[in-house]
Each structure stands twice: as C-alpha cells, then as structure tokens.
Amino acid sequence: MADEGKEIAWEEIHFSPIPSQTNIYGLTKVEGREEGNKVFLASLSGRVICLEYQQNWLVPSAREVPFTYIPDSAEIVSIDAFKRPEPSKQLVVGISLILLKNSRSHQKQFLNIYSALESKAEFSLESIAEGCQHFELDFVPFQLTHAEIFVKGRKEVVFLLCGSDQSVHMFCERFEEQPVADYFPELQNLASNVLWLEVQIHQSRRITVLGCQDGHVKLAVIELAVQPSVIKEYNLNRDGPISSVKLFSLNPGQAHKPGGTL
C-alpha cells in the first residue's frame, strides 16, 4: 500500500468498450493452461464479450462471442463458467436471461448452458457458443454460480442458480435440474430470495455463505465425508438486501481456503 500523502500514478494498459451496462452477476472468469485465462463479460443487451491476454499476457484481446439462443429482445441476468473435472476438462458456460414479450408482465426466463459440440473443440469458443441446452424457468433468475459435488466417489461440477422463488436450483453435469437438498442441505427451507451465494471446499468440509434479499446472512459448515450434513450454522440479520458476500482467510498462505473470516 502506498504511503499516506503520496500520489499514485495509474497508467491505462487496456480499454475495451462494452455494448451496454452490465450488473453484479455479469462477470465470470476461467483459468487454464490449454485455453488461457479468460474473462466473460455479459451486457444487459444480450451480448457477451471475452477478454483475455495473449502472447504471454502482453497483448490484450477483446471480442464478442456469438452465443446462440439469445434473441435481440433478451436481457442477460447472470453468467458463469467452469471446466469439467479431468480427464474431460471441457469448458462449460451458463447464461440466465429474461426474454421480454411486449411488457414486463409477459416476460419469460431461461437458462442456457453451452458446451463444445465435439470433444476436440472443447476450447473453441465458437463451438462452445453453438452447443446450447435451453431451459425455461418459472422464476426470475439471480446469481448463477457453480460448486463441486461427489456422486458415487466421482467429482462433478454443478450449476447453482438463485431464484425469485426463495430457492436455489441445482443443474447437474447432464444439465438436468435435480433436488438441491440431496447435496446442499444448507440451501433448503430458505426464508427469502438469495441474492449472492459463495461455496468453498476444504478437505472433507464445505463452507457455504449466502446473502438474502431481506438482509439475512447465513454461513454453514457442511461435513462431506459420508452424506452431506450441516455441522455448524451461523445467522445474522441486516437492515437491507445483501448484494455480495465473500469468504477469505486472514492467513496470507491460505488466501483461497475457507474458514477464515466472513
């Protein structure tokens, strides 16, 4: 941190305009050696921009990715991306959107999940953008995130979609909605809409923290050894909606491990 009283000279290294504004759910990143590090930025106008640095991080690049099944009248609500576990390591992108029909009273909501049509093209954005599974939702989507689960000893990554029905919906690797309580008991019987959710796993335990529309904050510790079960739970209430919650550690050597501080 700079000394107090000293001015910091900032130099702009890259600027990329976007088609329209985004929201708090419109940004996600993907890290990897094969396909490089990427940031997906989803604008409300229904367009998605991919930002990345090429040639050893020296040359910035920004380009629009033509994801299918996003009509001109659609507004993107949230976006998220992850890589499937080995050996596949296939890139998967999820986009929730609202399709307006003349007025807000006639809108429809959808979740689009994109993955490569062919295994050899698993890192080709063009191929991923064309391979879409399309789900109509009966609730307004909020944050879209992902988490790891274990099914018969095998690791899978699932999408978790917060909704206006006071529920969090889980879409499994086959991209079918499954009961969230089977793997996330801490996400059932919620008293308000979840606006932000963060999940981290450390060894055989999972830390889940969520912020709700009514100001409720919940942190749960889950034992994963046999059947997922809540072993600790903490709750507090604030005066207004909780737009973001983060897990971090006060130990610099464990910056990405949960269990530190809320």
Side-chain angles (χ1 to χ4, degrees):
M1 181 177 295
D3 295 336
E4 185 176 355
K6 289 186 177 180
E7 295 185 357
I8 301 176
W10 296 97
E11 181 180 351
E12 183 179 292
I13 59 173
H14 181 45
F15 172 79
S16 176
I18 59 176
S20 67
Q21 69 183 53
T22 182
N23 61 28
I24 60 174
Y25 307 131
L27 187 70
T28 187
K29 66 178 180 178
V30 180
E31 298 178 356
R33 294 181 179 178
E34 295 86 350
E35 74 282 12
N37 295 336
K38 294 178 173 60
V39 172
F40 291 107
L41 177 65
S43 64
L44 294 181
S45 64
R47 298 165 65 182
V48 179
I49 307 298
C50 177
L51 307 172
E52 59 184 320
Y53 277 81
Q54 301 174 343
Q55 298 180 8
N56 297 324
W57 317 107
L58 298 179
V59 181
S61 171
R63 60 187 175 110
E64 182 176 349
V65 183
F67 284 100
T68 57
Y69 295 99
I70 302 180
D72 293 337
S73 59
E75 292 184 359
I76 294 180
V77 178
S78 53
I79 185 171
D80 187 44
F82 65 81
K83 292 190 300 180
R84 285 188 172 123
E86 294 184 355
S88 171
K89 296 190 295 184
Q90 187 183 53
L91 180 62
V92 180
V93 179
I95 297 176
S96 72
L97 55 96
I98 293 176
L99 181 59
L100 302 179
K101 295 284 189 178
N102 299 323
S103 67
R104 290 281 180 181
S105 60
H106 295 86
Q107 71 180 31
K108 290 186 177 181
Q109 301 82 221
F110 297 93
L111 173 64
N112 292 353
I113 298 178
Y114 301 87
S115 57
L117 296 173
E118 301 177 1
S119 59
K120 294 182 179 180
E122 60 186 8
F123 302 124
S124 169
L125 289 182
E126 287 72 19
S127 177
I128 293 170
E130 293 177 359
C132 176
Q133 297 188 58
H134 194 59
F135 301 93
E136 185 170 358
L137 309 173
D138 58 2
F139 57 88
V140 176
F142 296 138
Q143 184 200 18
L144 178 65
T145 186
H146 63 274
E148 294 179 352
I149 63 172
F150 292 89
V151 180
K152 297 180 180 180
R154 184 170 62 91
K155 182 167 66 175
E156 292 187 11
V157 183
V158 299
F159 277 120
L160 296 174
L161 179 60
C162 305
S164 63
D165 55 353
Q166 297 185 182
S167 300
V168 177
H169 302 262
M170 184 179 77
F171 293 83
C172 290
E173 186 173 353
R174 294 177 299 278
F175 306 130
E176 300 173 348
E177 185 171 359
Q178 299 291 335
V180 71
D182 293 348
Y183 296 96
F184 296 88
E186 69 273 32
L187 298 181
Q188 59 180 331
N189 301 321
L190 301 173
S192 180
N193 297 329
V194 176
L195 299 184
W196 199 277
L197 170 68
E198 182 155 328
V199 178
Q200 291 187 10
I201 294 178
H202 179 48
Q203 296 179 353
S204 64
R205 291 186 176 181
R206 179 174 68 226
I207 310 294
T208 301
V209 59
L210 53 91
C212 298
Q213 193 169 12
D214 66 351
H216 182 69
V217 179
K218 175 180 177 180
L219 186 145
V221 182
I222 315 301
E223 178 60 57
L224 303 174
V226 183
Q227 180 72 19
S229 58
V230 180
I231 58 175
K232 292 182 181 180
E233 185 175 305
Y234 307 90
N235 296 274
L236 59 89
N237 292 284
R238 292 292 181 260
D239 295 332
I242 306 299
S243 59
S244 180
V245 286
K246 292 293 181 183
L247 290 165
F248 65 93
S249 173
L250 293 179
N251 185 344
Q254 297 181 338
H256 300 290
K257 295 181 180 180
T261 303
L262 171 64

